[in-house]
Amino acid sequence: MQKLGDFKLPHFFNYPPYFTLQPVRDTREKQIQVQLWKELILDYCKTQKIFVIGLEEEFPLFTNHVIERSLTHEARATFLSALVSEGRAEWMDKGHRKCLILWHRIQDWADILIQFAKDNGLEDGVVTIEEIRSGTESQGTVESDPFERDYVRSFVWMAVWVAVLRVSGPLVAEFMQQQH
């Protein structure tokens, strides 16, 4: 089995047709090809702690030097757009040139944050985003580019708000009813 650093690549990675999109859109969408690529991108990004994929930048999964194949720009955009449509990624710009990869959906991140608070006895305390972000599990995972850091931080905030609303939603609803 071929490896990319310490990441084991799936068998389809050495099969040339998977580096070529089917020309008919309906056929392409029904194929397992898109699902395999989505899973591969998510697994790779999670294990390598990658948050951002630039559509026009080199990305190790998009080229297989062994079989001398690379994904076209259209194929890259198709696979990343499929992740976006499932809530597993977000375009970072209007031109769809950079994509923020969400290892988990926003709702799943909220669940993880709630569980983190429970596991660490923080349910009734206040923890800053910086305290969560700078923990040992997250060190070295955010790009040095300030724009990318801010974009990732905004998604963390979104997950935190979803978690807060999930935990305190009934209290907020009750408060709102009392006000009217």
Side-chain angles (χ1 to χ4, degrees), residues 35-53:
Q35 187 62 35
L36 289 172
W37 274 101
K38 289 187 301 188
E39 290 171 7
L40 176 61
I41 291 167
L42 289 172
D43 287 346
Y44 183 77
C45 288
K46 185 174 182 178
T47 61
Q48 304 302 309
K49 294 186 177 183
I50 294 172
F51 288 95
V52 178
I53 297 176

Side-chain angles (χ1 to χ4, degrees), residues 36-165:
L36 289 172
W37 274 101
K38 289 187 301 188
E39 290 171 7
L40 176 61
I41 291 167
L42 289 172
D43 287 346
Y44 183 77
C45 288
K46 185 174 182 178
T47 61
Q48 304 302 309
K49 294 186 177 183
I50 294 172
F51 288 95
V52 178
I53 297 176
L55 197 56
E56 298 165 3
E57 299 167 11
E58 285 296 316
F59 185 68
L61 293 181
F62 294 158
T63 300
N64 185 333
H65 297 288
V66 173
I67 61 171
E68 297 179 353
R69 292 289 178 117
S70 293
L71 290 175
T72 63
H73 186 274
E74 179 188 9
R76 295 173 186 205
T78 296
F79 299 143
L80 293 176
S81 292
L83 287 170
V84 169
S85 69
E86 289 184 2
R88 301 305 299 267
E90 289 290 330
W91 291 111
M92 296 175 69
D93 60 337
K94 291 180 183 178
H96 294 188
R97 291 183 304 269
K98 284 195 174 197
C99 195
L100 176 70
I101 303 300
L102 303 171
W103 307 337
H104 304 286
R105 290 177 182 83
I106 295 295
Q107 291 285 28
D108 298 334
W109 278 116
D111 292 339
I112 290 166
L113 288 169
I114 290 169
Q115 192 59 50
F116 172 82
K118 288 178 181 177
D119 292 347
N120 293 285
L122 303 172
E123 287 179 279
D124 296 322
V126 175
V127 181
T128 67
I129 295 295
E130 187 59 30
E131 289 172 314
I132 294 170
R133 192 192 68 76
S134 64
T136 57
E137 284 298 312
S138 62
Q139 287 180 350
T141 60
V142 178
E143 294 288 327
S144 58
D145 179 356
F147 172 75
E148 290 179 7
R149 261 196 327 268
D150 291 343
Y151 207 83
V152 169
R153 190 174 291 122
S154 71
F155 273 89
V156 171
W157 268 111
M158 192 180 316
V160 168
W161 277 112
V162 169
V164 166
L165 290 174

Side-chain angles (χ1 to χ4, degrees), residues 20-38:
T20 306
L21 277 179
Q22 290 296 316
V24 179
R25 185 177 180 189
D26 289 341
T27 305
R28 177 173 59 225
E29 289 174 359
K30 291 177 184 174
Q31 275 189 329
I32 196 166
Q33 178 186 22
V34 175
Q35 187 62 35
L36 289 172
W37 274 101
K38 289 187 301 188

